[in-house]
């Protein structure tokens, strides 16, 4: 399959990239790992005149920890996130490790995943559950946008054409916090999920009561969604099966799945319930595990 | 935009080529450098038969622009044998009957090599995960997994 013709630029700094993007407008597309963009070009879904390779932008690279927050570079690959490290929350590592194949993970970036914004995107879901913010740089400077509110539709977000997603900011991993990730596909690898769920739990110092919870659902709405009902079934309650079941029920009720060739809406809704329950159990054991490790 | 000159290292040798912006790394290797061991299959990241190792990591070369390989190091299947002596993975694939038509083999072997470089003694599950980006339409995966286990054993003795 051939690529249509285009010009290729590799800016060396963020200001240079932004000014090129400003000049060329909709004709130019940023290129990160290319695992979505080059496929879309080959399938003739897009025909930009210019590809702007972000690979030379140091501003988009590397991870930093500062004052209880971490800042992850948009060019972090799924492989790198999957292998963890002190700045990477376990939940994000799990999602990144579930994306595609080794070859795809070695190229696919965090920024590309957030901008493509597929309804079941494996990096979007954990970041949404973690309460992350995206940093968008544009001609008039930078803005921070909470991911809750960032997604607008499949492939469609609040990011404007002239903006580049540079980093995401989230709470640093700490004791008493845990995540669970569950992905159901028809195959074991290389696949966009049929349903996926990311659960984030923060426990009080007693190690039992839920201080904060977020449950993100994939493939059951036009974009990755949070389940407010699941969160309110959990917060302030003892972290155990009773409220996990209530949360799973609430998530299933709030999911808005559709029927398609890969599975029916009713099946997807059932799976949301099951996967939410599993993800919460996994999150609890991770949260308690690292609380004990600390003690 | 006209062709641009790029320099990269392929199988340990510095190479130069003139490439179009819309040329893939697969096309650079096959059409400009004559290294036809790298296969072109689906073109969209699904089959893995175009797999090469770029700076130590496997990639689908059909989803990398030739220009993105500027200054970087690529290993293709042609870079594995030492003269007439096959790489232990290549020999193990032959011995185990893990090759039928052979179209998937270069990619399979490079994925297996990257796996063994990081995990010299992989479990069965690690092997199937490591090869999950490579499809084979003829042999079936059993013999391929056996070949990788066999090569891992031989390489650790050596
Ligand atoms: C075989 C295969 C399997 C896959 N499986 C999965 C899967 O299981 N789960 C999953 O979630 N995804 C999957 N994907 C999709 C894809 O790999 C991911 O969405 C990936 O994270 C995209 O990142 P990228 O760096 O390759 O993006 P690119 O393709 O480079 O870019 C994607 C889009 O984002 C824009 N963009 C990229 N970075 C930025 C930035 N920093 N600022 C502004 N715009 C930007 C580009 O202009 C483009 O529109 C798969 C893809 C393939 C080919
Ligand atoms: S040809 Fe590259 S993955 Fe199929
Ligand atoms: S041997 Fe024919 S595709 Fe694998």
């Amino acid at each position: 399959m051939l690529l249509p013709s285009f010009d290729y630029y590799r800016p060396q700094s963020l200001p240079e990239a932004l000014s090129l993007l400003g000049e060329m407008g909709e004709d130019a597309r940023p290129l990160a790992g290319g695992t979505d963009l080059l496929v879309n070009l080959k399938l003739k879904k897009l025909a930009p005149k210019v590809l702007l390779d972000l690979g030379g932008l140091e501003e988009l690279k590397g991870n930093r920890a500062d004052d209880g927050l971490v800042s992850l570079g948009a060019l972090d690959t799924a492989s790198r996130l999957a292998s963890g490290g002190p700045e990477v929350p376990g939940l994000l590592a799990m999602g990144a490790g579930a994306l595609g194949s080794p070859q795809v993970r070695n190229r696919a970036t965090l920024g590309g995943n957030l901008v493509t914004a597929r309804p079941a995107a494996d990096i979007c879901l954990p970041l949404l559950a973690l309460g992350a913010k995206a940093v968008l740089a544009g001609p008039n400077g930078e803005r921070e946008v909470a991911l809750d509110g960032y997604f607008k539709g499949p492939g469609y977000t609040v990011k404007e054409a002239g903006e580049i997603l540079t980093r995401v900011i989230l709470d640093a991993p700490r004791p008493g916090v845990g995540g669970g990730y569950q992905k159901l596909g028809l195959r074991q690898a290389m696949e966009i999920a049929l349903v996926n769920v990311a659960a984030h739990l923060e426990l009080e110092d007693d190690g039992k009561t839920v201080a904060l919870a977020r449950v993100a659902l994939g493939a059951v709405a036009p974009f990755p969604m949070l389940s407010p009902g699941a969160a309110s079934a959990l917060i302030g309650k003892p972290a155990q099966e009773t409220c996990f079941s209530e949360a799973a029920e609430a998530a299933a009720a709030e999911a808005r799945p559709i029927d398609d060739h890969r599975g029916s809406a009713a099946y997807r809704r059932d799976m949301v319930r099951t996967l939410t329950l599993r993800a919460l159990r996994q999150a609890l054991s991770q949260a308690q595990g690292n609380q004990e490790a600390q003690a | 935009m006209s062709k641009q000159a790029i320099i990269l290292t392929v199988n340990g040798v510095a190479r130069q080529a003139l490439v179009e912006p819309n040329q893939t790394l697969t096309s650079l290797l096959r059409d400009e450098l004559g290294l036809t061991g790298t296969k072109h299959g689906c073109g969209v990241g699904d089959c893995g038969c175009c797999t090469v190792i770029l700076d130590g990591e496997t990639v689908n070369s059909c989803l990398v622009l030739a220009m993105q390989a500027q200054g970087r190091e690529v290993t293709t299947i042609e870079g594995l044998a030492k003269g007439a002596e096959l790489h232990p993975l290549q020999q193990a694939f032959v011995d185990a009957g893990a090759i039928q038509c052979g179209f998937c083999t270069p990619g399979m072997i490079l994925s297996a090599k990257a796996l063994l470089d990081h995990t010299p003694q992989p479990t069965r599950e690690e092997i199937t995960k490591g090869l999950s980006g490579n499809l084979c339409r003829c042999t079936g995966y059993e013999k391929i997994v056996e070949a990788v286990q066999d090569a891992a054993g031989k390489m650790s003795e050596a």
Side-chain angles (χ1 to χ4, degrees), chain A residues 52-101:
Chain A
L52 217 58
D53 187 348
L54 303 179
L57 307 184
E58 291 304 319
E59 295 92 334
L60 276 60
K61 294 181 188 170
N63 300 335
R64 303 193 276 265
D66 186 25
D67 206 17
L69 294 177
V70 293
S71 157
L72 308 177
L75 290 176
D76 270 5
T77 61
S79 296
R80 175 146 183 224
L81 295 170
S83 60
E87 301 98 0
V88 180
L91 178 54
L92 179 55
M94 287 186 251
L99 185 152
S101 62

Side-chain angles (χ1 to χ4, degrees), chain A residues 21 28-40 46 51-52 54 60 74-76 78 95 98-101 104-105 107-118 120-124 136 159-161 163-167 181 183 189-193 196, chain B residues 44-47 60 63 68:
Chain A
L21 202 54
R29 281 274 176 166
L31 170 69
T35 61
D36 274 308
L37 186 58
L38 297 182
V39 172
N40 283 330
L46 289 173
L51 295 193
L52 217 58
L54 303 179
L60 276 60
L75 290 176
D76 270 5
L99 185 152
S101 62
V104 174
R105 285 195 288 279
R107 300 290 295 168
T109 66
L110 179 156
N113 205 261
L114 281 174
V115 173
T116 301
R118 301 189 190 207
D122 284 303
I123 293 177
C124 293
L136 302 175
K159 187 190 82 65
E160 283 164 15
E163 287 180 315
I164 289 175
L165 194 155
T166 56
R167 314 192 64 84
Y181 194 70
K183 174 174 180 175
M190 296 281 279
E191 210 189 34
I192 294 296
N196 48 350
Chain B
V44 292
D46 281 327
C47 73
N60 294 313
L63 294 182
Q68 292 180 299

Side-chain angles (χ1 to χ4, degrees), chain A residues 1 3-9 31-33 38-39 42 53 101-104 106-107 187 189-190, chain B residues 1 21-22 40 42-43 45-46 51 57-60 62-63 65 67-68 111 129-130 132-134:
Chain A
M1 229 179 287
L3 284 164
S5 57
F6 49 76
D7 287 351
Y8 170 87
Y9 289 91
L31 170 69
L38 297 182
V39 172
K42 289 187 176 189
D53 187 348
S101 62
Q103 293 95 317
V104 174
N106 287 338
R107 300 290 295 168
R187 265 173 67 191
M190 296 281 279
Chain B
M1 194 180 266
N22 68 346
H40 188 66
C42 68
D46 281 327
T51 301
E57 294 183 323
T58 54
V59 299
N60 294 313
C62 68
L63 294 182
L65 298 180
M67 290 199 178
Q68 292 180 299
S111 285
K129 277 195 88 174
S132 61
N134 296 80

